[in-house]
C-alpha cells in the first residue's frame, strides 16, 4: 500500500472510530513529512502506515485525553532532528520541511531517540488534546447554531 493509500485508509478508520480526531491527526502526522526521506534517503513517509496499523490494532478511545496519550506514543514521535548548533525540531511547533529550510545551510542531523523523551511526549499530548478540544468546540458551536446535538 502506498503512503497516500495509508493516509486514505487512516482517514476512513478515524472517521469511523472518532471523527473529531481526523483534522488533528492529519495536521500532526503531516508535520513528520520528509523526515524519513532525509534520514533514510528514501522517498516515503511511513508515519501514515504506522498510525494506520496502530489504530487498526487498538482503536481510538472515546476518552480523548487518553487517546492523546496513546497517539503521542506512536513510534514516529521518536523521530528527531537538530542542527550542529543545537537548534531542535519540534513537530508540535512546525513541520519538518520548514524547519530544514529555516536552519539551512547549517545542516540537519536526524535520529530516532532510543526512548520517548518526556518533554516531547508531554508537549505532544498537550498539543493533541488542545487540538481535539478545538475540534470539539467547533462541533458544539456548529450543532448549537443548527439546533442539533450529536
Amino acid at each position: 500500500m502506498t503512503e497516500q493509500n495509508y493516509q486514505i485508509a487512516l482517514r476512513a478508520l478515524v472517521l469511523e472510530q472518532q471523527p473529531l480526531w481526523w483534522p488533528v491527526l492529519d495536521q500532526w502526522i503531516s508535520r513528520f513529512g520528509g523526515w524519513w526521506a532525509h534520514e533514510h534517503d528514501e522517498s516515503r513517509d511511513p508515519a501514515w502506515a504506522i498510525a494506520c496499523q496502530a489504530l487498526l490494532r487498538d482503536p481510538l478511545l472515546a476518552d480523548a485525553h487518553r487517546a492523546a496519550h496513546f497517539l503521542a506514543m506512536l513510534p514516529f514521535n521518536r523521530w528527531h532532528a537538530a542542527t550542529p548548533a543545537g537548534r531542535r525540531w519540534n513537530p508540535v511547533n512546525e513541520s519538518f520541511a520548514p524547519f530544514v529550510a529555516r536552519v539551512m545551510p547549517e545542516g540537519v542531523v536526524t535520529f530516532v531517540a532510543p526512548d520517548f523523551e518526556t518533554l516531547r511526549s508531554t508537549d505532544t499530548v498537550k498539543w493533541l488534546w488542545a487540538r481535539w478540544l478545538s475540534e470539539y468546540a467547533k462541533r458544539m458551536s456548529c450543532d448549537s447554531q443548527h439546533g442539533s446535538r450529536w
Side-chain angles (χ1 to χ4, degrees):
M1 193 180 298
T2 67
E3 174 188 330
Q4 185 176 16
N5 290 346
Y6 275 112
Q7 186 177 4
I8 291 167
L10 180 61
R11 181 180 189 273
L13 187 62
V14 172
L15 290 177
E16 179 183 305
Q17 292 177 2
Q18 299 291 334
L20 292 178
W21 275 108
W22 175 246
V24 177
L25 288 179
D26 186 37
Q27 183 183 22
W28 180 55
I29 296 170
S30 293
R31 290 176 178 220
F32 291 87
W35 184 93
W36 187 269
H38 193 276
E39 169 73 6
H40 296 280
D41 200 25
E42 296 177 14
S43 62
R44 64 187 185 106
D45 281 317
W48 295 104
I50 292 167
C52 189
Q53 292 302 313
L55 295 183
L56 280 169
R57 187 178 58 251
D58 296 308
L60 281 170
L61 301 168
D63 179 338
H65 195 256
R66 288 183 62 203
H69 281 274
F70 170 77
L71 293 167
M73 298 308 284
L74 291 177
F76 59 83
N77 202 30
R78 291 181 24 224
W79 298 353
H80 286 67
T83 67
R87 293 202 268 178
R88 298 176 57 154
W89 167 63
N90 186 338
V92 300
N93 294 332
E94 68 183 320
S95 296
F96 179 73
F99 170 77
V100 171
R102 183 171 54 79
V103 300
M104 289 312 239
E106 190 175 343
V108 173
V109 176
T110 53
F111 59 97
V112 178
D115 200 359
F116 287 95
E117 290 184 353
T118 302
L119 183 58
R120 168 72 72 88
S121 297
T122 301
D123 285 351
T124 302
V125 169
K126 288 177 184 176
W127 188 89
L128 291 167
W129 173 238
R131 293 298 184 274
W132 185 89
L133 286 173
S134 176
E135 291 301 319
Y136 180 79
K138 283 187 224 173
R139 179 70 177 258
M140 295 305 289
S141 175
C142 182
D143 287 350
S144 68
Q145 290 175 1
H146 293 61
S148 64
R149 289 273 183 198
W150 48 285

